[in-house]
Amino acid sequence: MKSYRKELWFNIPTRRGFVNITQQVEICLQESEILEGLILVSAMHITASVFINDDESGLHQDYDRWLEKLAPHEPISQYRHNDTGEDNADSHMKRQIMGRESVVAITNGQLDFGPWEQIFYGEFDGRRKKRVLIKIIGE
Amino acid sequence: MKSYRKELWFNIPTRRGFVNITQQVEICLQESEILEGLILVSAMHITASVFINDDESGLHQDYDRWLEKLAPHEPISQYRHNDTGEDNADSHMKRQIMGRESVVAITNGQLDFGPWEQIFYGEFDGRRKKRVLIKIIGE
Amino acid sequence: MKSYRKELWFNIPTRRGFVNITQQVEICLQESEILEGLILVSAMHITASVFINDDESGLHQDYDRWLEKLAPHEPISQYRHNDTGEDNADSHMKRQIMGRESVVAITNGQLDFGPWEQIFYGEFDGRRKKRVLIKIIGE
């Protein structure tokens, strides 16, 4: 069994944002030289997500508005987590809806994807450096 | 390390629906001859889910009504994604709540499940052919 | 390839609660003697979750209140699942938001975590014995 590990770093200039990281993950997969296995792509921070969906800017606007409706940022005082001096309680909720991680099959050295699947980093409390972990096992 | 791959195809006649795919996954596991490992079951389309829960029709009605409350299909014009000519923005949201994939342990050649765990394909934009990927690694 | 399996048992005295299980998972990882691989931590029951987030009591209060807002327990009669004699339909929904499982990378024999990642058992229908499965594969 082979294994491979890499961190991707992000510094999203806004509070919230989505970044397509599919190509970066594909480069890691090539570097790993693993042909059959599983790849885990996970947010190392608890106010961010890794998820798989469509690379369509209208949809990303919809996600942002929808998550803000389900878990509003304001008023900050509605969350007990924010009593600690944080203002990001809503980010911890948005991240649960969008998920921490994705596991993707590797077949013939490729991400084994359907026609529209793309991997995204979802930031819900940006304006600072944060990381995604890529771990591949297989052979 | 052994690996195994198979696609399951679905054509749900309604917009939304849930299908128990546990038996089909078990047949794949038998074909793989893998006794210890992990199995990834993932939706290859971005308006569908794979999730694990109870095979109880009342619950599935509840899920459908609940998802429709959290991310309503109508009015279609509320979503920017639908400006592209699609009408399925809500399906992309429902899928995030129910999840893209499940990873299940394999022990002694069986799905290592609790008493009520069953695997479902969740369709949120049906009436066309869509796929689920099964990938098994182990030995 | 090595594999390891263990069940953790819980009996949460209240209907809902969150338990930090990170240390118990780390002990399993040490017992497994696996240095590189993946670990699956999954709820074996369909009204419970395993998720990764912050060990902060204010946040856990926020999660509890938020989940109750998105999928209220009362009135019980609003859910068709409860026509079966159950009163836990809401628990099946809360569990979908928080997720069934987490997959964590193992690197150098450690959980490969960011600075704040902790693993939680999330109970949404407690006051009885329930289980979490830990499965590790790697070498």
Side-chain angles (χ1 to χ4, degrees):
Chain A
M1 198 198 78
K2 278 191 202 170
S3 69
Y4 171 95
R5 177 195 195 274
K6 190 143 188 179
E7 294 178 3
L8 305 178
W9 285 82
F10 301 91
N11 193 341
I12 307 294
T14 47
R15 184 182 297 277
R16 297 196 297 271
F18 300 118
V19 181
N20 189 334
I21 61 173
T22 313
Q23 278 200 314
Q24 291 177 77
V25 176
E26 285 170 343
I27 289 167
C28 291
L29 179 52
Q30 286 164 24
E31 284 179 8
S32 77
E33 299 182 348
I34 290 173
L35 299 177
E36 294 289 324
L38 293 176
I39 179 163
L40 169 71
V41 188
S42 70
M44 299 186 81
H45 296 260
I46 53 190
T47 51
S49 286
V50 168
F51 67 95
I52 289 174
N53 217 294
D54 196 4
D55 196 357
E56 199 281 299
S57 64
L59 179 65
H60 296 181
Q61 287 175 57
D62 294 332
Y63 274 143
D64 189 61
R65 204 170 44 152
W66 177 65
L67 291 168
E68 185 59 18
K69 196 177 84 180
L70 293 183
H73 180 64
E74 305 268 2
I76 287 166
S77 63
Q78 76 190 291
Y79 299 110
R80 296 290 61 75
H81 181 57
N82 292 339
D83 296 344
T84 64
E86 299 278 359
D87 69 350
N88 65 3
D90 64 300
S91 318
H92 291 271
M93 281 154 214
K94 290 171 168 116
R95 121 70 171 256
Q96 288 307 122
I97 298 227
M98 298 305 275
R100 167 187 178 262
E101 78 224 9
S102 277
V103 177
V104 180
I106 300 161
T107 304
N108 296 327
Q110 307 289 320
L111 300 176
D112 198 336
F113 268 164
W116 300 101
E117 290 189 281
Q118 295 283 303
I119 309 173
F120 290 90
Y121 174 67
E123 177 63 84
F124 306 115
D125 186 33
R127 300 171 296 186
R128 54 197 171 104
K129 289 174 78 177
K130 290 162 85 172
R131 285 175 287 163
V132 161
L133 178 64
I134 295 172
K135 185 88 184 189
I136 314 175
I137 68 168
E139 64 179 22
Chain B
M1 197 198 78
K2 280 190 202 170
S3 69
Y4 172 96
R5 178 194 194 275
K6 189 145 189 178
E7 293 178 3
L8 305 178
W9 284 82
F10 302 90
N11 192 342
I12 307 295
T14 47
R15 185 182 296 278
R16 297 196 297 271
F18 300 118
V19 181
N20 189 334
I21 61 173
T22 314
Q23 278 198 314
Q24 291 177 76
V25 175
E26 284 170 342
I27 289 167
C28 292
L29 179 52
Q30 286 163 25
E31 284 179 8
S32 77
E33 299 183 346
I34 290 173
L35 299 177
E36 293 290 323
L38 294 176
I39 179 163
L40 169 71
V41 188
S42 70
M44 299 186 81
H45 297 259
I46 53 190
T47 52
S49 287
V50 168
F51 67 95
I52 289 174
N53 216 295
D54 196 3
D55 195 358
E56 199 281 299
S57 64
L59 179 65
H60 296 181
Q61 288 176 56
D62 293 333
Y63 274 143
D64 189 61
R65 202 170 46 152
W66 177 66
L67 291 168
E68 184 58 19
K69 196 176 85 179
L70 292 183
H73 180 64
E74 305 267 2
I76 286 165
S77 63
Q78 76 190 291
Y79 300 110
R80 296 289 61 76
H81 180 57
N82 292 340
D83 296 343
T84 63
E86 299 277 1
D87 69 350
N88 65 4
D90 63 300
S91 318
H92 291 271
M93 281 154 214
K94 290 171 169 116
R95 120 69 170 257
Q96 288 307 121
I97 298 228
M98 297 305 275
R100 167 187 178 261
E101 79 224 9
S102 276
V103 177
V104 180
I106 300 162
T107 303
N108 296 326
Q110 307 288 322
L111 299 176
D112 197 335
F113 267 165
W116 301 101
E117 290 189 281
Q118 296 281 303
I119 310 173
F120 290 89
Y121 175 67
E123 177 63 83
F124 307 115
D125 186 32
R127 300 171 297 185
R128 53 197 172 104
K129 289 175 78 177
K130 289 162 84 172
R131 285 175 288 163
V132 161
L133 178 64
I134 295 173
K135 185 87 185 189
I136 314 177
I137 67 168
E139 65 179 23
Chain C
M1 197 198 79
K2 280 190 202 170
S3 69
Y4 171 96
R5 177 194 195 274
K6 189 142 189 182
E7 294 177 2
L8 304 178
W9 285 82
F10 301 91
N11 193 341
I12 307 294
T14 47
R15 184 181 296 275
R16 297 195 297 269
F18 300 118
V19 181
N20 189 334
I21 61 173
T22 314
Q23 278 199 314
Q24 290 177 78
V25 175
E26 285 169 342
I27 289 167
C28 292
L29 179 51
Q30 286 164 24
E31 283 179 8
S32 77
E33 299 183 348
I34 289 173
L35 300 176
E36 293 291 323
L38 294 176
I39 179 162
L40 169 71
V41 188
S42 71
M44 299 187 81
H45 296 259
I46 53 190
T47 52
S49 287
V50 168
F51 67 95
I52 289 174
N53 216 294
D54 196 3
D55 195 356
E56 199 280 299
S57 64
L59 179 65
H60 296 180
Q61 287 176 56
D62 294 333
Y63 275 142
D64 189 61
R65 203 170 45 151
W66 178 65
L67 291 168
E68 184 59 18
K69 196 177 86 180
L70 292 182
H73 180 64
E74 304 270 2
I76 287 166
S77 63
Q78 75 190 292
Y79 299 110
R80 296 289 62 75
H81 180 57
N82 292 340
D83 295 344
T84 65
E86 298 277 0
D87 69 350
N88 65 4
D90 64 299
S91 318
H92 291 272
M93 282 154 213
K94 291 172 169 117
R95 120 70 171 256
Q96 288 307 121
I97 298 227
M98 298 304 275
R100 167 187 179 262
E101 78 225 8
S102 278
V103 177
V104 180
I106 300 162
T107 304
N108 297 326
Q110 306 289 321
L111 299 175
D112 197 336
F113 267 164
W116 301 101
E117 290 189 280
Q118 296 282 303
I119 311 173
F120 290 89
Y121 175 67
E123 177 62 84
F124 306 115
D125 186 32
R127 300 171 297 187
R128 54 197 172 104
K129 289 174 81 177
K130 290 163 85 171
R131 285 175 288 164
V132 161
L133 178 65
I134 294 173
K135 184 87 184 191
I136 314 176
I137 68 167
E139 66 180 21

